[in-house]
């Protein structure tokens, strides 16, 4: 199943810089692993924001939920999810 996922990150200023950098490093490693596995197909930065738009290809809603909640930055994210299906005009 394909899903469009929009993620906006809001790390609190009170979080120590070293801790924030460690979380970001884990986030990068985890997201790149999911990309290599073919589950995280695309990721685009939203210009001027600490946000992205991504496309996931996973078995079902539960798998997506699990992958998203395991993101190290998950506690600091606002996430919206939209399921996708093929468009009849697509070639």
């Amino acid at each position: 199943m394909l899903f469009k996922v929009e993620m906006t990150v809001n790390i609190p200023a009170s979080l120590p810089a070293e801790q924030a950098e460690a979380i970001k490093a884990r986030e990068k490693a985890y997201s790149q692993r999911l990309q290599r596995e073919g589950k995280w197909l695309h990721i685009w930065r939203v210009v001027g924001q600490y946000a992205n738009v991504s496309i996931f290809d996973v078995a079902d809603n539960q798998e997506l939920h699990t992958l998203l909640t395991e993101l190290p930055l998950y506690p600091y994210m606002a996430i919206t999810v939209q399921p996708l299906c093929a468009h009849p005009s697509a070639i």
Side-chain angles (χ1 to χ4, degrees):
M1 294 181 69
L2 294 175
F3 294 90
K4 180 182 97 171
V5 179
E6 297 180 30
M7 299 177 232
T8 301
V9 181
N10 186 18
I11 297 174
S14 61
L15 190 68
E18 306 82 35
Q19 188 176 353
E21 291 307 314
I23 294 169
K24 290 179 202 177
R26 289 197 327 269
E27 178 87 10
K28 182 175 183 177
Y30 179 65
S31 69
Q32 289 180 344
R33 178 173 62 87
L34 294 176
Q35 289 173 68
R36 284 187 202 90
E37 292 174 359
K39 295 177 185 290
W40 197 326
L41 298 182
H42 302 281
I43 182 170
W44 295 279
R45 166 91 19 141
V46 178
V47 176
Q49 299 179 34
Y50 193 172
N52 73 73
V53 175
S54 296
I55 304 295
F56 285 81
D57 187 4
V58 294
D60 54 28
N61 296 342
Q62 184 59 54
E63 183 180 12
L64 180 63
H65 178 77
T66 299
L67 294 179
L68 294 177
T69 58
E70 290 178 357
L71 287 165
L73 285 170
Y74 177 79
Y76 311 108
M77 289 182 173
I79 299 175
T80 60
V81 176
Q82 293 178 312
L84 302 172
C85 62
H87 192 285
S89 297
I91 55 171

